[in-house]
Amino acid sequence: MVSQRAADVTPFIAMDVLERANELDDVIHLEVGEPDFAPPARVTETAVDSLRAGHTNYTAARGKPELRRAIAAHYDREYGVTVDPDRVVVTPGTSPGLFLAMAALVDPGDEVVLTDPHYACYPNFVRLVGGEMRTVTLRASEGFRPRVDDFAAAVGPDTSALLLNSPANPTGAVLDGETLAGLAEVAADADATPVVDEVYHGLSYDAAAHTMLEYTDDAFVLNGFSKRFAMTGWRLGWVIVPPDYVDAVNRLAQNVLICAPNFVQDAGVAALETPADRLDEIRETYRERRDLLVDAVEDWGLDLGYTPQGAYYLLADVSGLPGDALDVADLFLEAGVAVTPGVDFGDAAADYLRLSYATDAGAIETAVGRIDRLLATVERD
């Protein structure tokens, strides 16, 4: 019999949409966050060289020392923050880092406070460790940025963690330094720990992305190579661990993860040495795509109400179209454009569609034309 824990895990609808879309001909994919850029050439070359050198054995569970030092140096260079490499745990993707954080922090019945909307998989990580959830509702009119006071009102005596995301999936919101500092204070006052997913750092357009480590050492900070370096299938990430949790997280990693692939870790060192101008060029390309899609959504007469500041997603309110967001997503797919229904991302996103602009401008323009023609035939409420 399937365990109740497994039965309680909900599907990731974006992946269901992707599977359906792949069964059709000539579909524009705006449903998944899959960068269309290749990884930096030196990254691939380093991985090949590492394989040829025979670097295919186990590494330490927490990762190769040279990669952990490179990650620590990244925080010094980007944010002026000193991180002890011993606090860095390398993981096979960012999601395992989130599991380690939840497993280290949350006992059955403990509460985790997170935003609504939120990344689709967050609730399942909380459920897997027996945690309970409280949510803080975000508003499009405020750019989907959380209010510190709302988090302060949501925490209680059973709160063990605040789960945050900046730049955010699915909204593209970026938390400023004042908000991060305030949330760190809320967590400290509640004897809780921030867990901050920063995997979209490096993809901010109208606001600087601050790391929570600028404001507290008592936080789990997640990041990785999938988004900024277009290394989704390489499965390489990391978590910065509060000093008091280093030994516990290392034990968890030894048992649950064993280690991230050896040769991929060498490629990670090369990625962190990528010249800034190459990364800036990619970020500017995403900005141009964002502006193209934001203009299109407004031309469709859909309510956007904000401009995403980071990542490569936006949420569009489709409550004025016939049916619910699932129906509208099906309608878009019939027109040859795959998008993700907002129900994936929490109750507050139920009337929305998430659109990704992690695809080239030509494909976005084709998708815009298809939806233009579709909406011209649709009777609105």
Side-chain angles (χ1 to χ4, degrees):
M1 181 180 294
V2 174
S3 71
Q4 189 61 49
R5 181 181 293 107
D8 287 342
V9 172
T10 57
F12 191 0
I13 295 175
M15 303 312 293
D16 291 341
V17 173
L18 175 63
E19 184 174 350
R20 290 175 55 203
N22 284 338
E23 294 171 353
L24 303 174
D25 294 327
D26 191 24
V27 172
I28 305 298
H29 292 275
L30 305 184
E31 80 278 32
V32 292
E34 178 72 40
D36 63 325
F37 295 98
R42 185 163 176 264
V43 171
T44 303
E45 293 164 1
T46 298
V48 171
D49 290 344
S50 182
L51 278 169
R52 286 176 173 158
H55 296 169
T56 57
N57 53 304
Y58 291 132
T59 74
R62 68 178 68 188
K64 299 178 79 167
E66 51 268 43
L67 178 55
R68 290 190 285 114
R69 288 194 296 268
I71 291 168
H74 165 78
Y75 282 93
D76 184 27
R77 183 171 61 249
E78 294 288 325
Y79 311 104
V81 170
T82 299
V83 173
D84 185 341
D86 284 343
R87 293 175 55 200
V88 179
V89 176
V90 176
T91 55
T94 305
S95 293
L98 178 56
F99 176 76
L100 293 180
M102 291 290 102
L105 284 171
V106 181
D107 282 320
D110 285 354
E111 291 178 347
V112 177
V113 180
L114 65 159
T115 62
D116 182 9
H118 48 250
Y119 174 52
C121 298
Y122 288 163
N124 287 324
F125 280 95
V126 177
R127 294 186 188 105
L128 281 171
V129 295
E132 305 290 336
M133 283 175 293
R134 287 194 181 191
T135 58
V136 171
T137 301
L138 307 180
R139 305 160 185 82
S141 60
E142 298 176 358
F144 290 110
R145 290 182 295 274
R147 297 175 179 174
V148 174
D149 288 347
D150 289 346
F151 264 90
V155 301
D158 296 325
T159 301
S160 63
L162 275 60
L163 181 50
L164 310 167
N165 181 204
S166 177
N169 177 6
T171 65
V174 176
L175 303 186
D176 60 27
E178 182 179 356
T179 300
L180 286 170
L183 292 170
E185 185 174 347
V186 167
D189 290 345
D191 197 24
T193 303
V195 179
V196 189
D197 182 351
E198 299 181 352
V199 73
Y200 290 96
H201 267 227
L203 298 178
S204 298
Y205 314 114
D206 302 317
H210 292 272
T211 177
M212 179 60 89
L213 297 173
E214 295 176 53
Y215 308 100
T216 180
D217 284 334
D218 188 24
F220 285 80
V221 171
L222 314 168
N223 206 329
F225 297 85
S226 291
K227 309 303 181 181
R228 186 178 191 183
F229 299 103
M231 295 170 63
T232 53
W234 297 63
R235 307 316 304 144
L236 188 64
W238 71 79
V239 54
I240 309 299
V241 179
D244 290 345
Y245 289 87
V246 168
D247 288 343
V249 171
N250 190 44
R251 293 196 304 273
L252 286 166
Q254 289 170 342
N255 284 272
V256 176
L257 306 180
I258 306 299
C259 66
N262 188 329
F263 67 95
V264 176
Q265 294 187 53
D266 290 339
V269 175
L272 291 169
E273 295 172 350
T274 302
D277 56 352
R278 171 59 178 154
L279 299 174
D280 290 344
E281 178 184 340
I282 292 173
R283 182 173 61 246
E284 286 308 304
T285 300
Y286 280 131
R287 181 202 295 270
E288 293 168 3
R289 296 173 181 179
R290 177 203 64 176
D291 293 345
L292 172 63
L293 195 53
V294 166
D295 289 345
V297 170
E298 292 174 348
D299 288 344
W300 296 335
L302 302 180
D303 186 10
L304 192 58
Y306 80 112
T307 300
Q309 294 183 316
Y312 37 61
Y313 309 102
L314 58 80
L315 282 182
D317 186 345
V318 294
S319 58
L321 298 178
D324 60 22
L326 289 165
D327 296 324
V328 178
D330 286 342
L331 196 64
F332 279 26
L333 187 57
E334 291 173 10
V337 181
V339 297
T340 303
V343 67
D344 233 4
F345 309 105
D347 293 341
D351 291 331
Y352 290 78
L353 297 178
R354 188 192 74 172
L355 287 72
S356 167
Y357 45 93
T359 190
D360 68 87
I364 293 173
E365 289 172 347
T366 299
V368 168
R370 291 177 180 181
I371 297 174
D372 277 340
R373 292 188 290 274
L374 168 68
L375 293 182
T377 69
V378 171
E379 185 173 338
R380 305 189 185 218
D381 294 343

